[in-house]
Structure formats: structure tokens, C-alpha cells
């Protein structure tokens, strides 16, 4: 450091390191290695792995590689503690969460320094962003703990949760997982990332210190193998995961058919859209935050800059000037802007992707090449002229690299923004409020920040669309992930329904005497009746085994056509809720007008008594009315987050939904599944009851006469599990509901891993008389949170 007069001349920052003395003492105390935290105590260190400070490359600790036996012990402890924890009054649980918040707050400095040493992020961020948000999360959920029973009636805790977190926000991700789980009455086993286990272990000590009952929180350290053992453990009721899309996909497959609840918060390639009327200076500061916070190792990093052509050069010039002022170096220095990359392997991943990009002949600007001579550092980088097909525009780099592309029209901006398999976040910069909301509504992402970026708060949900995962963390939205319906578990339907009777010509069937119901039903695709691609039909039998008609044997091609038709009808989602409600009322009215006819046919095909058939039709009419009424009432919220921000939570339709119906209650189940899906604005492809498809095919004419636009409801008959498989595999299907048998449910969940579509499966009998309400609407929507600042 120069003498003061030199500093005054150059106006350079002098070094201003935060003291790490306390953390050093703590690490020294544990130099023999950390054990796990199981059942309220730390275990003896076992097989140890090393933990490094990425800024120096020095080893700072050793932690235990969790074995399957460790996971067993932790899950057993969580199971033992769960009933008692759930039975505590909300007030008592609330006090525990409050104590955790207070103790985190008391140790803010220690935890910030530890986080920075372990992860490499600048102390300014761990001190001013990460740790305060951790405390905020526990405070917020302390409130939920005491409100959970009144605010979530008819639900109970899921049970034991397995939680796996990444290394980019180690303690913050822990808080996002642990606080809602505890508030909702669950116990848990959490596995921190192998690069950054230390703040989780410090948190474990806080749990012991605050007197949290033993077994409620268990922390097992280790790598992906430990995580996989936790995912596979039969004693776990829910998995909550944050990390890479690749591992998320593996977890989706591993949990398929196990009945474990699942929420995934995965990768992103989030657009940062700057229009020509944006305040460019603010946008530049936004970009610094969007892509250089935590060295760009942020799942929702604004890593794709999309800028209006006319604003591009001025913006790039301002950005380059700003980049030259970013201070890169010792993360413990209070004036450092950009710290270290978490580990050599991540640094190498960034370099590899950049080499690939360099091969494409793009233009690179690097802020500051004078990097520290040790540790994992990568300079802030701007890449311009990037084509959408470039590897740098498609892959999550997870480093301090911003890639820029220009656009000419708002329409093109939205198309580019959505040109990704991800959908975690987006940032929109314009002074035109109409345009801001128009674009925010059209971008497919779970969070949209208008004239701002990387805003988080415990009261707002956070989570992705598409391959960025499903489920939300934060606020009311996040809590529902940790509750389930409070009803006895139904007995699973483990037997596959009998194969459909072969087409006539292959096996003779006896015809029913009632000629009125002897008919051949076609598929219903894009508002038209369609012959099945296979050219085959199958015999529909009544309860006595007599043929009462024929139904089309739908196949992969029919599903493809139906998905295409559904995608084309997407303007249904943009219709007003009032209009959709009116259409549903009309459906109900037209069904009511044909009540007797539907009841007679239902009775003939299912063998139900005339009374039971009439009751099923009446219940179906009532259900259609209920959802017509809901159309404009299942609305969103304005979350109480940061001052001078409006945070709007909007319930948006998934887009194209697949629905597979069970054999039972062929009309009522069909109506109970179709109505909530379409009232929320989805377009659907539905496979009706395989054994009794005729009530659904009769429904065509009700749809046609009720102004349901073509393509909103597409009906493909055939073997349920065959159609379910095709729907699960189809990347054009955004969400899939399946009611059938346990094998089918497992297959649907496993195959859905392809595009990580959200699934809602049931392999058990459902009481269709009760299958109605907000949970169906919640499952028919995904929440988008839009943050808008106000004030000059
Ligand atoms: P990762 O997804 O492998 O690790 C995240 C967590 O999952 C860690 O705790 C890890 O031990 C655990 N894990 C790994 N394999 C597992 C398995 N088979 N079953 C259960 N748990 C498992 O992420 P990684 O390898 O650390 O980073 C690779 C890339 O992933 C990054 O470059 C980035 O692109 C992305 N990533 C995204 C994150 C996000 O927040 N969206 C966070 C971390 C990484």
C-alpha cells in the first residue's frame, strides 16, 4: 500500500479486509474434521473430504463423506422426531424458528466471514445480502408456523423431508429449505454441497444452542453419492432440490413411482431485456448485479443481455466503462466487487465453455485481466454479437460472463427471451409501463423483475417454468410444497386395467341389444372429429361384456396432432377469466339440457343403476358450474416484500396440459379434471376412461355447442397407459395429470424427466364426489412473480 499522499493522488482503494480471526479459531477447533449433525449431536468425523478456500486454494477444513448408514441414521432421527414436532402448537414451533432467526442475526458477522471463506463470494454480498436474507427467512416462517393450521386448513405436514442444496448460496439455500419445512411441521435431513458445507455445520451448532428438539434438523455432509442415498431412502416423504438441471432430472427419475413429493429449483439462462427507452445508467447497474453478483454463479443470473439495436452501442460503451471499475480480488476485502469462483472444476467448466464460444468467432471484452496470482478467479466478461444458436447463449455458464444479442421489435425481444429450455427469471428495462407489463406477461419465467434484478424476499415465491424446475420457495406458494391433504392414504391401484378388447375382426364380441348406444366414436382434435391414425378402433364393452360401441385406438401420432392443436389454441389462456367462465357455464348448461340422455348412456355402458348414473351426471353439471364460478376468483396476490416494490403473484396456465382419466366415474372424473384445467386457461389433451370412453366422446357435442374454441379440449381415446406414456414423453406438454394405477403413475413420472414437466399423479382410487376445489386450480397453474419498483 502506498503512502497516504499517493492514495490521495490516485484515489485508489486501500485494502480493507474483514477480520477472519473468529472463524479461524472455530476452524482450528475443528481441525480434526467435522462430523454430521444427527439427532441433535455431532457425530465423530468419519471418512473425510477436504474443503478449500477458493480465493487462496488453501485447505480450511475437512468434513465427513456421508455414507448410506449415516443417511439411515439421520432419516431415522427425523422420523422419530416428526410426530412430536408436528404435534407442538404452532406457537411453540414459531418460537423455535424465531430463536433460529435471532441466533443467525447475532452471528451475522461470523457467518458472513465463514460463507465468504468457504464459497469465495465478496464479503459485501455475504454480509449485506446472504445472511440478512437468511435471518429474514426464519423470521418470516416463524410467523407461518403459528398460522399454518388456520391458513392451510385440511392439510398436514408431509413428514420427513430430504433437502439437497448447491454451493452458490450455501446458507441462504439452507434457510429457503429448512425454514418452510419446519414451519409446516416437518422434520428433515439436509445435505449441503460438498464445496461449501461449513455454514450448514455452523447452523447445526445454532440448532443445538437454541434447543431445537433432537432429530428435527439433521445435517449430513458429502457429495452427490450422499445426495443420491438421501433421494433413494424409503423413509423420506419429500425431496426438495436446488442445483443443476441434469441432477434434477436424475432425481425426478429416481423418485418416480415412490410417492415422494418433489420440488426442483434448477438452472437458468435468464434474459435481461433492455428497450431503447430504458434508463441506460440504471440498466448498467442492474447488469452488474445481474451477472456479477456472486461471480455469476446464480441460478437466476441475467446472463443473456437482449438489447434494442438502437441502444446497443451506447449500452455496451457504458457497460465496458463500468466493468473497468469492478474490483476483483480478495473476497474478504470490503471493497471487492467480484470474488473467487467456487472451485477449480467450476473454473474449468467456465473456461471450457468460453473456448467453445471463442471457436465461434465472437467478440469478447474482459474487464480486468490483472487477476490475483492464486485462487480461482475469472474476469468479468462481455461477449457481443452472440447468435441465439451459440453455445454461450444456450448453456448455463454459471460464471461472470454476459452474452449480448440485439433485437429490433418487442415481439422479437420476447421471442428471443423465450428461446431457451429454461424459465427461471427475467429482467425487463423500459420506462414504458405498458410495455413492461406486456413483456413481463409474455416471458415464460417464474420471476420477472421490471427495472430491477435479483430481488428476493421470504414473502415472495421463487421458482421456475419449464426446465428450470417446478414448485416454489418462499411465502405461501412455497409452504404448500411442505403440506399434503389431511386424509388417509387411499389404497393404491396396483393392477393395470385389463387390456382393451381387441378390435372387431380380431375377436368377436357380443353386441348389446340397445341399438341406440351402438356407435363408433372418433377422436376429437382441433375442434374436429378425427379418425385414429392407426385406423383401428376397439370394442367398448358394457358391464355384461357386450359390445356397446367402438372407440378410436389412439396412438403416438394422434397425441402429436392433439398437442399441436392444443398449442395452436393458446389464445384461450389470454381470454378474460370472465369469458372463460361464461364458456364453462355454457358447457354446464348444455350438459344439463342433455342430462337424461347422458344418464341413460352412462347406465348402459357402466351397468350403474339409473339412479347412480343420474347422480353422476348431476354431480358433473354441478362441478362444471363450480369451476365456471372459480374462473375469475382463483386470482393471485400482491406480496408484502421490499419497500417501494410491488410484487405481483400471478396464476398463469401451464400452457398445454395432458390429462389421463381413470376407468371409474367416466363422466364425473372427466369433467372434474377437464374443468379446472381449462378454466385456468390451459389447452388440454385428454385420454378419457379407457374402458368407458363413450361419455367423453359424447361430450364432443357439448363442447361444440358451448363455444369452447377449437383445440382447447382434445380427446384421444385408447389404452390409458399407452397414451399416458406418449404424453409424458412429449416435450410440447407442459404439465400432466394422471389418474390410473401405480405402474402407470411411476412410468409417467419417470418419463416426464425429459422436459421436466410438472406431474400430478394418482395410482389410487379417488372419491370423485369430493374431488374439487382450489388444489385442482393450484395444480392447473404456475405462479409468476413480477417485481416492479415505484417512486422516482
Ligand atoms: P449439482 O447439481 O451436481 O450439485 C448440487 C447439489 O446436488 C450438491 O449438493 C450435490 O452434492 C448434489 N448432487 C449431485 N449429484 C447428485 C445426485 N445424483 N443425487 C442427489 N444429489 C446430488 O451441481 P454442480 O455439479 O455443483 O454444478 C454444476 C453446474 O450446475 C453448474 O455449473 C451450474 O450450471 C449448475 N448449478 C445450478 C445451480 C442452481 O442454483 N440452479 C446450483 C449449482 C449448480
Amino acid at each position: 500500500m502506498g503512502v497516504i499522499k499517493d492514495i490521495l493522488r490516485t484515489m485508489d482503494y486501500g485494502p480493507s479486509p474483514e477480520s477472519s480471526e473468529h472463524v479461524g479459531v472455530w476452524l482450528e477447533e475443528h481441525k480434526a474434521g467435522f462430523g454430521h449433525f444427527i439427532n441433535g449431536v455431532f457425530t465423530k468425523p468419519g471418512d473425510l473430504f477436504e474443503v478449500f478456500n477458493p480465493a487462496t486454494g488453501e485447505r480450511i477444513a475437512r468434513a465427513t463423506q456421508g455414507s448410506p448408514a449415516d443417511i439411515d441414521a439421520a432419516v431415522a432421527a427425523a422420523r422419530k422426531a416428526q410426530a412430536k414436532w408436528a404435534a407442538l402448537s404452532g406457537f411453540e414451533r414459531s418460537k423455535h424458528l424465531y430463536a433460529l432467526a435471532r441466533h443467525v442475526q447475532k452471528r451475522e458477522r461470523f457467518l458472513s466471514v465463514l460463507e465468504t471463506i468457504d464459497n469465495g463470494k465478496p464479503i459485501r454480498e455475504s454480509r449485506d445480502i446472504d445472511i440478512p436474507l437468511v435471518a429474514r427467512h426464519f423470521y418470516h416462517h416463524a410467523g407461518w408456523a403459528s398460522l399454518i393450521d388456520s391458513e392451510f386448513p385440511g392439510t398436514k405436514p408431509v413428514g420427513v423431508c430430504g433437502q439437497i442444496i448447491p454451493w452458490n448460496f450455501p446458507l441462504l439455500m439452507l434457510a429457503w429449505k429448512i425454514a418452510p419445512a419446519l414451519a409446516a411441521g416437518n422434520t428433515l435431513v439436509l445435505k449441503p454441497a460438498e464445496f461449501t458445507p461449513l455454514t450448514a455445520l455452523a447452523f447445526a451448532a445454532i440448532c443445538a444452542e437454541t434447543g431445537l428438539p433432537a432429530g428435527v434438523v439433521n445435517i449430513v455432509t458429502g457429495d452427490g453419492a450422499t445426495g443420491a442415498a438421501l433421494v433413494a431412502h424409503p423413509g423420506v416423504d419429500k425431496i426438495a432440490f436446488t442445483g443443476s438441471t441434469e441432477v434434477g432430472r436424475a432425481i425426478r427419475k429416481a423418485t418416480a413411482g415412490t410417492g415422494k413429493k418433489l420440488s426442483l429449483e434448477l438452472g437458468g439462462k435468464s434474459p435481461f431485456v433492455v428497450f431503447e427507452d430504458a434508463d441506460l445508467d440504471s440498466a448498467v447497474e442492474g447488469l452488474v448485479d445481474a451477472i456479477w453478483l456472486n461471480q455469476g454463479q446464480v441460478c437466476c443470473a441475467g446472463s443473456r443481455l437482449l438489447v434494442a439495436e438502437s441502444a446497443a452501442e451506447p449500452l455496451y460503451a457504458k457497460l465496458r466503462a463500468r466493468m473497468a471499475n469492478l474490483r476483483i480480488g480478495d473476497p474478504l476485502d470490503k471493497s471487492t466487487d467480484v470474488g473467487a469462483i467456487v472451485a477449480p472444476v467450476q473454473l474449468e467448466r467456465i473456461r471450457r465453455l468460453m473456448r467453445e464460444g471463442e471457436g465461434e468467432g465472437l467478440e469478447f471484452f474482459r474487464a480486468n485481466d490483472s487477476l490475483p496470482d492464486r485462487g480461482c478467479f475469472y474476469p468479468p466478461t462481455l461477449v457481443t454479437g452472440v447468435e441465439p444458436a451459440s453455445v454461450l447463449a444456450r448453456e448455463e455458464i454459471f460464471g461472470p460472463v454476459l452474452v449480448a444479442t440485439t433485437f429490433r421489435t418487442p415481439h422479437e425481444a420476447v421471442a428471443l427471451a423465450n428461446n431457451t429450455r429454461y424459465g427461471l427469471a427475467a429482467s425487463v428495462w423500459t420506462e414504458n409501463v405498458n410495455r413492461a407489463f406486456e413483456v413481463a406477461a409474455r416471458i415464460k419465467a417464474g420471476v420477472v423483475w421490471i427495472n430491477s434484478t435479483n430481488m428476493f424476499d421470504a414473502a415472495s415465491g421463487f421458482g421456475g417454468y419449464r426446465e428450470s424446475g417446478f414448485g416454489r420457495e418462499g411465502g405461501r406458494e412455497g409452504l404448500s410444497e411442505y403440506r399434503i391433504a389431511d386424509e388417509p392414504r387411499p389404497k393404491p391401484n396396483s393392477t393395470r386395467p385389463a387390456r382393451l378388447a381387441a378390435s372387431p375382426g380380431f375377436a368377436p364380441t357380443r353386441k348389446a341389444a340397445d341399438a341406440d348406444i351402438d356407435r363408433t366414436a372418433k377422436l376429437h382434435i382441433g375442434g374436429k372429429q378425427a379418425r385414429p391414425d392407426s385406423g383401428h378402433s376397439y370394442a367398448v364393452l358394457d358391464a355384461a361384456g357386450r359390445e356397446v360401441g367402438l372407440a378410436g385406438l389412439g396412438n403416438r401420432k394422434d397425441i402429436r396432432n392433439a398437442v399441436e392443436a392444443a398449442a395452436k389454441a393458446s389464445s384461450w389462456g389470454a381470454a378474460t377469466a370472465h369469458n372463460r367462465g361464461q364458456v364453462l357455464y355454457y358447457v354446464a348448461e348444455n350438459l344439463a339440457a342433455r342430462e337424461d340422455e347422458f344418464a341413460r348412456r352412462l347406465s348402459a355402458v357402466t351397468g350403474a343403476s339409473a339412479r347412480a348414473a343420474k347422480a353422476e351426471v348431476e354431480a358433473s353439471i354441478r362441478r362444471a358450474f363450480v369451476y365456471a364460478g372459480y374462473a375469475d376468483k382463483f386470482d393471485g396476490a400482491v406480496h408484502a416484500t421490499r419497500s417501494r416494490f410491488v410484487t405481483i403473484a400471478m396464476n398463469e396456465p401451464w400452457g398445454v396440459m395432458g390429462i389421463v382419466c381413470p376407468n371409474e366415474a367416466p363422466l364425473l372424473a372427466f369433467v372434474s379434471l377437464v374443468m379446472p384445467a381449462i378454466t385456468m386457461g390451459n389447452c388440454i389433451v385428454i385420454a378419457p376412461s379407457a374402458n368407458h370412453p363413450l361419455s367423453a366422446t359424447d361430450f364432443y357435442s357439448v363442447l361444440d355447442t358451448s363455444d369452447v374454441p377449437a383445440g382447447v379440449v382434445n380427446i384421444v381415446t385408447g389404452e390409458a397407459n399407452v397414451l399416458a406414456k406418449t404424453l409424458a414423453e412429449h416435450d410440447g406438454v407442459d404439465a400432466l395429470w394422471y389418474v390410473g394405477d401405480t405402474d402407470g403413475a411411476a412410468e409417467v413420472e419417470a418419463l416426464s424427466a425429459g422436459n421436466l414437466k410438472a406431474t400430478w399423479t394418482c395410482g389410487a382410487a379417488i372419491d370423485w364426489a369430493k374431488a374439487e376445489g382450489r388444489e385442482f386450480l393450484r395444480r392447473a397453474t404456475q405462479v409468476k412473480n413480477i417485481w416492479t419498483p415505484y417512486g422516482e
Side-chain angles (χ1 to χ4, degrees), residues 176 264-266 423-425 445-447 460-465 468-473 477 783-785:
W176 282 23
L264 298 175
E265 201 269 89
L266 309 175
L424 194 50
V447 189
S460 169
F462 181 89
Y465 279 31
S468 291
F470 44 76
R472 293 288 177 269
E473 296 189 295
E477 296 141 45
V783 183
K784 174 186 279 178
N785 277 284

Side-chain angles (χ1 to χ4, degrees), residues 103-122:
H103 281 244
V104 164
Q105 218 168 23
K106 273 200 280 184
R107 283 175 180 68
E108 268 190 1
R109 199 161 144 250
F110 176 90
L111 293 169
S112 308
V113 172
L114 182 59
E115 197 73 303
T116 284
I117 289 178
D118 199 6
N119 165 281
K121 63 174 67 199

Side-chain angles (χ1 to χ4, degrees), residues 76 97 205 268 345 617 742 762:
L97 278 140
V345 48
V617 182
T742 46
C762 179

Side-chain angles (χ1 to χ4, degrees), residues 165-167 191 193-194 227-228 241 243-244 266 299 346 349 396 398:
I165 55 172
W167 41 259
K191 191 202 82 65
E194 54 273 42
F241 172 78
S244 61
L266 309 175
C299 49
Q346 183 63 18
R349 186 187 140 88
E396 183 178 41
F398 231 61

Side-chain angles (χ1 to χ4, degrees), residues 249 421 466-467 556 559-560 563 567 654 656 725-735 751-757:
R249 210 170 256 131
R421 61 201 170 104
R466 311 206 274 198
E467 291 185 33
R556 180 173 290 273
I559 292 285
R560 228 171 36 219
V563 171
W654 290 107
V656 175
K725 181 171 183 286
T726 307
L727 284 166
E729 283 170 340
H730 200 302
D731 282 352
V733 175
D734 302 301
L751 294 173
S752 71
N755 70 342
L756 284 164
K757 57 175 70 64

Side-chain angles (χ1 to χ4, degrees), residues 444 564-575 580 653 655-656 681-683 710-712:
K444 293 187 195 308
E564 219 167 274
K568 274 198 198 130
S570 62
S571 59
W572 172 248
R580 287 199 303 267
V656 175
N682 296 289
C683 299
V712 172

Side-chain angles (χ1 to χ4, degrees), residues 84-85 88-104 138-139 141-142 145 182-183 203 206-214 216-217:
K84 217 159 152 201
W85 175 249
L88 282 186
S89 71
F91 172 58
E92 290 299 325
R93 278 204 304 273
S94 178
K95 284 197 291 190
H96 282 293
L97 278 140
Y98 187 77
L100 291 173
R102 293 283 299 135
H103 281 244
V104 164
F138 279 103
Y139 279 127
H141 285 90
L182 296 188
F203 179 81
I206 290 178
C207 292
E209 182 180 283
T210 59
L212 191 72
V216 169
V217 167

Side-chain angles (χ1 to χ4, degrees), residues 502-754:
S503 314
F506 291 102
T509 52
R510 285 179 297 138
K511 295 239 186 241
D514 185 351
D516 177 39
I517 57 165
D518 185 5
R519 61 202 187 277
T520 303
K522 295 204 180 75
L523 314 180
H524 187 66
I525 296 177
K528 295 197 191 88
Q529 297 216 24
R531 284 179 195 289
D533 167 71
S534 66
H536 290 304
S537 298
Y538 67 96
V540 178
L541 309 181
D542 69 7
R546 295 167 309 180
E547 184 185 315
V548 289
L550 295 173
L553 194 58
N555 66 10
R556 180 173 290 273
K557 177 95 188 304
D558 300 311
I559 292 285
R560 228 171 36 219
N561 293 342
V563 171
E564 219 167 274
K568 274 198 198 130
S570 62
S571 59
W572 172 248
T576 65
H578 171 78
N579 283 349
R580 287 199 303 267
Q582 293 303 299
V583 170
L584 261 73
Y585 277 127
Y586 206 12
V587 170
E589 198 183 314
N590 283 325
L591 185 57
R594 293 171 56 191
E595 183 176 339
D596 291 343
E597 176 195 339
F598 266 87
R600 192 158 38 82
R601 290 186 164 183
L602 205 52
S603 170
V605 294
T606 62
S609 70
R611 221 168 111 201
K614 187 168 163 43
E616 183 171 340
V617 182
E618 274 172 8
S620 304
I621 296 164
R622 264 201 314 274
R623 191 134 298 161
F625 259 80
V626 164
Y627 286 114
Y630 260 130
D632 56 358
K633 294 172 194 69
F634 189 72
D635 44 18
V638 175
H639 291 313
T641 56
R642 308 269 288 255
S643 63
R644 302 176 82 77
F645 267 91
V646 182
T647 308
I648 307 168
M650 299 209 315
N651 292 326
E652 292 197 337
W654 290 107
V656 175
M657 282 181 68
I659 301 180
V660 181
C661 298
N663 273 324
E664 307 79 49
L667 181 66
L668 182 57
F670 179 86
V671 170
S672 303
L673 296 169
V674 170
M675 293 300 150
I678 66 171
T679 201
M680 288 292 102
N682 296 289
C683 299
I684 64 169
V685 177
I686 185 161
S689 163
N691 287 358
H692 309 298
L694 298 183
S695 322
T697 54
D698 283 344
F699 212 83
Y700 301 159
S701 49
V702 174
L703 296 171
D704 286 347
T705 49
S706 309
D707 297 340
V708 176
V712 172
V713 178
N714 303 280
I715 306 176
V716 179
T717 50
E719 227 179 306
N721 284 2
V722 172
L723 300 175
K725 181 171 183 286
T726 307
L727 284 166
E729 283 170 340
H730 200 302
D731 282 352
V733 175
D734 302 301
L736 179 52
W737 292 354
Y738 169 91
V739 188
D741 56 56
T742 46
D743 292 350
E747 188 165 35
V748 158
E749 288 176 355
L751 294 173
S752 71

